[in-house]
Amino acid sequence: MRTVARSVAMALIGTHSGCFQADEALGVWLLRRLDRFGGASASVVRSRDPAVLEGLPLLLDVGGIYSHEAQRYDHHQRGFFETFDGAVGAATGPENATGKFKTKLSASGLVYKHYGREILCALHPQLQLSPGKLEWVYTKMYTDFMEAIDGNDNGVEIADAVRYRESTALPHRVHRLNARWNDPPGGPSEDERFEQASALCGEDFSSMLSYVVTCELPARDIVEKALIDRSTVDSSGEVIAFANGGCPWKTHLYDLERVHGVDPLVKFVLYPDSSGMWRVQAVTVEGTSFTNRMGLLESWRGLRDAELSAAAAIEGCKFCHASGFIGGHENYEGALAMALKTIRSSS
C-alpha cells in the first residue's frame, strides 16, 4: 500500500484505466515533451477512482471537467463543445461552432490547443525563431494529424457516405495493442500496453511533424518566392516556375495566393522532371482533383513529339496529356511557350 501511495504522489499526469485509445495515449506523449510536466520520464497514474485522481496536478480524458487553469482536460461531459479555434461554451454543436474548425476536440486535442506551440518548439527549436512559421506548422499539424484523432475519438465520420472501412489509421493500431479476450495469462500488463500505445502515437506524431518542418515548410518558402517573382516569368502573372520539380506546391499555392491577394490566379506551373524535361502543369481548382483552372489547348491533347510540335507550332514539344492537365517540352522556354499560347488563346 505504501508503494502505491508513493507512486501516486510522484505522478504528474492522471488518465483513466481500462481500454485505452489513441486520444489519451497521444495526449500523454505530448505532455511528456514538456519539462513542466516531468519530461519523458513523467509518471502516469491510470485509474477511474476519483479519490486517486483528485490530488493529481493534471488529468487527461477523465474527471468530467475541462479547465485549462486547473489543468483538467476531459471532453466527455455534457455541454462540452470546444474546437481548435473556438472558445469554451461558444457552441453547442458543429452547426454553431464559431470558428473555421467544426470538429469537437478530444483530450489530446485540448492538450495540443493549449500546449501545441510549446511542444513543437521543444521538438524543433528552430521554430522559435520564426513566429509566422511556427503558427503555420501549428495549424498544419492540427489539420493533417490532430483533427483526425479528435474526430475518431468523438465518433465523427470522415464523410456522410462511407464507401469502405479504414483500419490502418493510428486509432485502430492503438486499439489493437489492448489485451485481447483470449490472450493467455502472463503477458504485458495494461499499463505496459498503454506505454507501447503512447510510444506508437509519439512516433507517428514525430514523423508527421518532421515531414512538415523539413519538407513542407521549405517548400512553402520556395512557392512563396516563385509567386512573388511571377512577373519575371511572364507579365501576365499567371505562370510560375520552380527550379526543383520535386517541390510539393499545390496546397501552398492556394494558401499563399490568398495571403498575397493574387489576381489573376496562377494557371500553370513550370518545373523540370528527373529526366530534364520541362513540365507545364495546370493548376487545379482548389478542392478538386481533376478540374483545371485552365487546361492545355484541346487540339494538343493526346499528341506527342513531332505531331504535337506541329499542332502547337512550337518546336521541341514532347507530350500533352489527354486531359490537358500536363504537358512536356525539352526546355524551359518551350514549356513557357506552351503555357502562354494556351492562356492567350483563351483570352
Side-chain angles (χ1 to χ4, degrees):
M1 189 70 179
R2 201 172 302 145
T3 303
V4 173
R6 185 164 58 251
S7 67
V8 171
M10 293 170 60
L12 293 173
I13 303 169
T15 189
H16 62 80
S17 55
C19 184
F20 50 79
Q21 294 85 33
D23 178 20
E24 72 274 14
L26 174 60
V28 164
W29 187 88
L30 291 172
L31 290 168
R32 281 173 164 170
R33 300 314 101 196
L34 302 179
D35 290 341
R36 70 163 85 182
F37 300 119
S41 60
S43 300
V44 175
V45 169
R46 301 181 66 249
S47 175
R48 294 187 183 275
D49 184 345
V52 172
L53 297 171
E54 184 178 355
L56 298 179
L58 186 148
L59 295 185
L60 179 72
D61 206 40
V62 71
I65 297 171
Y66 164 47
S67 169
H68 180 49
E69 293 72 22
Q71 294 187 340
R72 275 13 189 189
Y73 302 101
D74 200 2
H75 66 113
H76 297 101
Q77 58 274 25
R78 186 179 179 87
F80 173 90
F81 202 94
E82 183 86 351
T83 62
F84 183 58
D85 58 352
V88 62
T92 56
E95 69 282 359
N96 297 318
T98 57
K100 169 187 173 183
F101 293 93
K102 310 300 180 185
T103 304
K104 183 170 76 169
L105 297 178
S106 64
S108 60
L110 286 170
V111 167
Y112 186 78
K113 176 171 182 169
H114 290 291
Y115 302 108
R117 296 177 183 87
E118 190 177 348
I119 291 165
L120 297 178
C121 289
L123 294 169
H124 291 270
Q126 72 271 27
L127 292 174
Q128 298 178 73
L129 304 176
S130 177
K133 290 182 178 181
L134 171 59
E135 200 63 24
W136 183 81
V137 173
Y138 173 64
T139 302
K140 178 75 170 173
M141 281 298 294
Y142 183 75
T143 57
D144 286 12
F145 190 92
M146 294 300 305
E147 189 170 14
I149 304 297
D150 290 339
N152 179 273
D153 200 72
N154 284 304
V156 180
E157 293 284 5
I158 196 170
D160 293 333
V162 179
R163 291 193 174 95
Y164 60 89
R165 301 308 306 175
E166 208 297 296
S167 300
T168 63
L170 181 59
H172 296 281
R173 288 183 284 132
V174 167
H175 177 73
R176 290 193 288 269
L177 289 174
N178 281 279
R180 299 166 188 174
W181 68 271
N182 56 352
D183 278 343
S189 69
E190 186 180 287
D191 285 353
E192 288 170 337
R193 290 176 178 275
F194 177 82
E195 291 295 341
Q196 292 173 13
S198 187
L200 175 63
C201 290
E203 183 180 349
D204 268 26
F205 184 91
S206 296
S207 176
M208 173 67 81
L209 178 59
S210 176
Y211 179 80
V212 169
V213 171
T214 65
C215 179
E216 290 279 1
L217 199 54
R220 185 176 177 84
D221 289 341
I222 291 171
V223 175
E224 185 164 35
K225 186 176 188 310
L227 197 61
I228 292 170
D229 295 343
R230 64 192 182 281
S231 62
T232 64
V233 176
D234 183 69
S235 59
S236 70
E238 295 181 85
V239 185
I240 61 174
F242 304 127
N244 187 327
C247 171
W249 53 268
K250 284 191 177 180
T251 56
H252 298 301
L253 179 61
Y254 301 133
D255 185 34
L256 289 167
E257 284 178 326
R258 283 189 290 272
V259 169
H260 290 280
V262 171
D263 183 29
L265 298 176
V266 174
K267 305 302 188 301
F268 292 99
V269 174
L270 312 180
Y271 59 87
D273 65 16
S274 58
S275 72
M277 181 195 305
W278 274 83
R279 301 292 186 109
V280 49
Q281 184 168 339
V283 178
T284 55
V285 174
E286 187 173 7
T288 72
S289 297
F290 304 107
T291 303
N292 300 319
R293 289 174 174 175
M294 180 182 293
L296 291 168
L297 289 176
E298 179 73 35
S299 60
W300 302 352
R301 298 179 187 181
L303 303 181
R304 304 185 67 88
D305 302 322
E307 189 178 10
L308 175 58
S309 295
I314 301 170
E315 285 301 317
C317 291
K318 305 302 289 184
F319 78 95
C320 181
H321 191 273
S323 69
F325 94 96
I326 195 168
H329 195 279
E330 63 185 24
N331 57 48
Y332 165 81
E333 291 77 13
L336 176 59
M338 291 174 73
L340 294 180
K341 184 163 282 194
T342 298
I343 292 170
R344 288 162 187 167
S345 296
S346 302
S347 60

